[in-house]
Amino acid sequence: MTTDAGLTTATVRRAADAPPLISADDLPPARHFVDGKFLDGSTERVIDVVDPSTESVIARIPEGTSEDIDRAVAAAVAAKASWARLVPKDRSEVLHAIADRVAEHTELLAKLESANTGKPLAVSRDDVGMTIDTFRFMAGAMRATTSMAAGDYAENHLSVILREPLGVVGVITPWNYPLLMAAWKIAPILAAGNTLVLKPSEQTPLTTLKFAELVADLLPAGVLNVVNGYGAVAGARLAEHPDVDMIALTGSVNSGRAVARAAADTLKRVHLELGGKAPVVIFPDADLAAAASSLRTAGFWNSGQECGAACRVLVHESVAEEFVGQLVDEVRALVVGEPQAGEDVEVGPMVSKAHFDRVTGYLERAKSEGVRVATGGGALDGPGYFVAPTVLVDVPEGAEVAREEIFGPVITVEAFADEEEAVRRANDVPLGLSASVWTENARRSHDIPARLDFGTVWVNSHLVLASEVPWGGFKGSGYGRDLSVYALEDYSRTKHVMHNHGS
Ligand code: NAD
């Protein structure tokens, strides 16, 4: 990897004398987890798991096949009736026990996550903390969630509305938050009384397998199954499987399309959390320093590999120059490094060589099209797939970098002249996951979010999440909601039972 000269200012802090993050004993079994046991797969083929900070192979996991998926689905089918019969209190206690078990192993899970993704340890610890909270929230919410009251709505007929589990849910997770995205699915799916088969990203299976190992004794066999493998094989089989009642994917738009197509033949339910391209709309009355400081985190958290990342600033032309100055100062101060290079590391590498090439490709094309680099703008010295925290300015309307999800440490800045233009341009992307609006004006703080086509809109903030509130997108960002009681609803079905009690 070469260093781009020009404006690339950051350097990668190395952890030359630090002990390795993980040892061989910390690794989970490199197998599939099916019917309560770690099992070999149906082939000898393996997938290399790479540490993106060092480019070294840290594990080899089996490449799952359709047969491996079928075996796991059969286990989930066999387990579903008895798990569904448990009363909420009993399922809730299992979820609390899972939260406790994860909490006891926070440091181990955080280190494994950082070794597999290159994330700063602070980010991995935050992921584990949110994982615990997701299980605790779902354990409580499922006990408090009721259906519509029973009553007579037709003469002499009593209606009772039941909330039932769907059965078996297939889950496909991405590499950017491997453990947390698994938890966002597993917790509500189990809470709602379903069993599941989960396929983690082929690049980042370690914390999901470790989670299965840690909670194996807490769940009846077959309730949770994990099959490794590639999306086009193992993921595709899960999406089309006739005994899978719903398929839930967090991933890219293209994978979402493939999953929805594969699910169509069996008409199974589909739940899609896809990409984002969050606009950050800054009005002239905004607290510019607060916005710049917030974007230092919200734009570069998880190295910008974040579906809600604050990646596309639309700032009023009267304050654009002042704001860019403040933003660039914040971005230049970011600490880039390997996970064990210090507690203050804020930005790690891209997750893989392929993704590094993708992100640097966007930067090269933008530069050749005349977009100006205010800071960063290219790769940092290897080993590892590090990209300099970047701010691109003078970005013309409709530019590739302003429309497509780069999924790296890159913020683009465009200027607008009035409210109408700000709303039109903010909405002019195919994705609709999240956005933020920065203003001290009370009218704008309600009116602009109401006109934005995004599933979450923050006002004077960005990327703040809580287990009680829903997360999910509009338009090309998919449908269905993670977190909150809306996720519990998504993973259950409504049945109406009507009793004739007339004589
Ligand atoms: P990806 O789509 O490449 O992979 C996600 C998962 O889908 C992996 O497990 C992969 O193996 C599987 N997959 C790929 N092709 C498939 C197919 N044809 N059939 C079935 N499964 C298939 O995504 P990624 O690169 O791992 O993750 C990054 C993407 O995820 C970004 O677009 C990001 O915005 C999105 N994401 C969204 C959210 C959200 O909440 N909306 C959260 C995190 C990530």
Side-chain angles (χ1 to χ4, degrees), residues 29-117:
R31 302 167 101 189
H32 309 296
F33 182 74
V34 175
D35 207 12
K37 298 174 286 289
F38 279 97
L39 301 177
D40 289 334
S42 60
T43 86
E44 302 278 291
R45 285 197 301 276
V46 292
I47 301 170
D48 286 346
V49 178
V50 175
D51 174 348
S53 307
T54 61
E55 304 181 35
S56 56
V57 175
I58 50 175
R60 291 195 165 83
I61 51 145
E63 185 186 317
T65 61
S66 291
E67 288 101 305
D68 297 322
I69 291 287
D70 291 355
R71 189 168 50 160
V73 171
V77 169
K80 72 179 179 181
S82 53
W83 181 251
R85 261 197 309 274
L86 288 185
V87 293
K89 174 175 178 291
D90 292 343
R91 284 204 301 270
S92 171
E93 279 171 8
V94 174
L95 265 67
H96 276 302
I98 292 174
D100 291 344
R101 190 64 62 78
V102 172
E104 283 159 29
H105 295 86
T106 295
E107 209 47 28
L108 168 64
L109 286 164
K111 285 181 174 166
L112 263 181
E113 198 74 301
S114 285
N116 195 170
T117 60

Side-chain angles (χ1 to χ4, degrees), residues 172-177 181 184 199-203 229-232 235-236 239 249-256 258-259 273-276 306-307 405 407 433 471-472 477 482:
I172 303 173
T173 52
W175 50 255
N176 62 339
Y177 295 101
M181 292 302 102
W184 281 15
K199 191 208 79 66
S201 165
E202 58 276 18
Q203 298 173 58
Y230 291 111
L249 165 90
T250 299
S252 62
V253 175
N254 277 341
S255 302
V259 161
E273 296 290 350
L274 309 177
E306 156 64 59
C307 45
E405 185 183 46
F407 224 54
L433 187 58
W471 177 254
S477 295
D482 282 333

Side-chain angles (χ1 to χ4, degrees), residues 433-437 445 448-459 461 471 474:
L433 187 58
S434 64
S436 64
V437 175
S445 72
I448 305 294
R451 293 162 67 194
L452 290 177
D453 228 356
F454 297 83
T456 294
V457 183
W458 292 278
V459 178
S461 186
W471 177 254
F474 299 152

Side-chain angles (χ1 to χ4, degrees), residues 142 265 275 374 381 400 415 481 493:
M142 64 179 292
D265 277 345
D381 278 342
E400 182 192 55
R481 290 295 176 264
R493 63 185 189 185

